[in-house]
Amino acid sequence: MKNKVFNKLFLTFGYLLISVVSIYAQSLNSVFKTDSLHKVLYENKTYGSCLSSINYKDYSIFLYGSGATFIEDTYLLIKQNGIDLYSISVPEGYDPYIGKYKFNEKDLLFYSSQTGGSGGYGNYILLDINENNYEILFNSNEKRNNTSISASFVDDGKMIIDDLIIDVNYMDKSFYGMIFDEHNLVKTKVEININPISTVFICYNSALKTNFLLTFRSITAIAEVNRLGYVTQSLYFDGHEFIPYITDFSILIKNI
């Protein structure tokens, strides 16, 4: 009788032990599967180093990249409650940066990096992040944000950009003499280059009580070193897109 009871207890304990070991093995297998999935994820895309991170809405945004000065393979990793949702490739460059800014009561994610070229160009992107997708609301490299602007030199040492009339007697005299004669009349038709957006500032409008974008496009003629100034545009976010509402012209008086 005692042997039967002992055998039943032993068998019960054995089943319990097997069950515990089985559950433990399943949990380990789950961990290993998760790790392997992460490894596959990381192997498929060079993750490099985490450069910075911010909290945005209910998400954690991590900026990754590889390199010491010029950062390559840059992308954003979107996480929620510690779980990877998706990643977004962003332009490579120097000094990559992410930040959160409010436009017209809506939080948007801002990314920038610098190309380091002689023209001083940068990459500037504003995104709206959601759980399953994202929307790019502004990209300085997109053609729609670099629309054609008419520009020409006219008599009396002037330059016309759309409806703006600018006196260009500040131009380097050697270049000025290639375009205008001694009477300030146009002697040679010269093309004016209005380059793509090189710089974007986030500014605050106290009247509208919201941030807005200020974009800069350099203007050159004959040579890149003959920089005449910048077409600047102020862009207001209407809740769906950024719309230009002021176009102006700026001259760089002194290099900082």
Side-chain angles (χ1 to χ4, degrees):
M1 184 68 179
K2 287 183 180 180
N3 288 337
K4 288 183 179 181
V5 172
F6 176 78
N7 288 338
K8 286 183 179 180
L9 288 173
F10 179 78
L11 289 173
T12 303
F13 176 75
Y15 286 133
L16 287 173
L17 182 61
I18 292 170
S19 299
V20 169
V21 171
S22 176
I23 293 170
Y24 180 67
Q26 288 177 13
S27 66
L28 283 178
N29 190 37
S30 176
V31 171
F32 291 144
K33 281 184 178 179
T34 302
D35 285 347
S36 64
L37 285 174
H38 278 269
K39 286 177 182 176
V40 169
L41 178 64
Y42 292 131
E43 285 170 1
N44 285 342
K45 194 165 189 177
T46 304
Y47 262 51
S49 303
C50 180
L51 306 175
S52 62
S53 64
I54 63 168
N55 293 322
Y56 170 85
K57 296 182 180 178
D58 296 329
Y59 312 106
S60 297
I61 315 294
F62 296 84
L63 170 60
Y64 280 85
S66 303
T69 52
F70 186 88
I71 309 303
E72 300 178 306
D73 302 319
T74 46
Y75 68 94
L76 306 176
L77 179 62
I78 316 302
K79 288 191 173 190
Q80 187 177 44
N81 299 322
I83 299 173
D84 296 359
L85 298 181
Y86 55 88
S87 61
I88 306 169
S89 295
V90 288
E92 303 172 333
Y94 297 94
D95 303 317
Y97 166 81
I98 53 173
K100 179 179 69 174
Y101 296 89
K102 191 178 291 291
F103 293 86
N104 197 14
E105 302 303 320
K106 187 170 186 175
D107 286 330
L108 299 180
L109 182 68
F110 176 71
Y111 171 81
S112 69
S113 65
Q114 307 304 313
T115 63
S118 59
Y121 290 93
N123 306 298
Y124 304 91
I125 299 174
L126 279 150
L127 311 97
D128 184 22
I129 302 295
N130 297 295
E131 183 175 355
N132 298 316
N133 54 46
Y134 63 94
E135 183 179 5
I136 298 176
L137 298 170
F138 177 84
N139 185 342
S140 63
N141 298 319
E142 285 186 356
K143 188 174 181 180
R144 63 173 179 164
N145 295 315
N146 293 280
T147 54
S148 297
I149 298 175
S150 62
S152 61
F153 292 112
V154 295
D155 292 341
D156 202 24
K158 300 287 197 303
M159 174 175 65
I160 296 180
I161 302 175
D162 282 351
D163 296 329
L164 301 173
I165 301 175
I166 300 109
D167 191 327
V168 294
N169 60 10
Y170 59 85
M171 191 191 310
D172 181 274
K173 296 306 177 186
S174 61
F175 291 115
Y176 187 92
M178 296 179 189
I179 303 169
F180 301 97
D181 63 17
E182 63 273 18
H183 303 295
N184 298 319
L185 302 177
V186 175
K187 68 177 185 180
T188 306
K189 187 176 180 180
V190 172
E191 182 181 359
I192 298 175
N193 301 310
I194 300 181
N195 295 310
I197 293 172
S198 59
T199 304
V200 176
F201 293 149
I202 296 177
C203 307
Y204 182 73
N205 187 319
S206 58
L208 298 175
K209 294 182 173 55
T210 186
N211 289 314
F212 68 96
L213 297 181
L214 182 61
T215 66
F216 288 76
R217 298 175 64 179
S218 63
I219 302 173
T220 62
I222 300 177
E224 183 68 25
V225 295
N226 185 32
R227 186 161 295 189
L228 306 178
Y230 297 85
V231 172
T232 62
Q233 280 193 317
S234 300
L235 287 81
Y236 172 76
F237 184 63
D238 69 351
H240 304 283
E241 61 181 341
F242 284 90
I243 301 173
Y245 68 97
I246 296 176
T247 300
D248 213 333
F249 179 78
S250 299
I251 301 172
L252 181 63
I253 298 176
K254 182 180 179 181
N255 287 320
I256 300 176

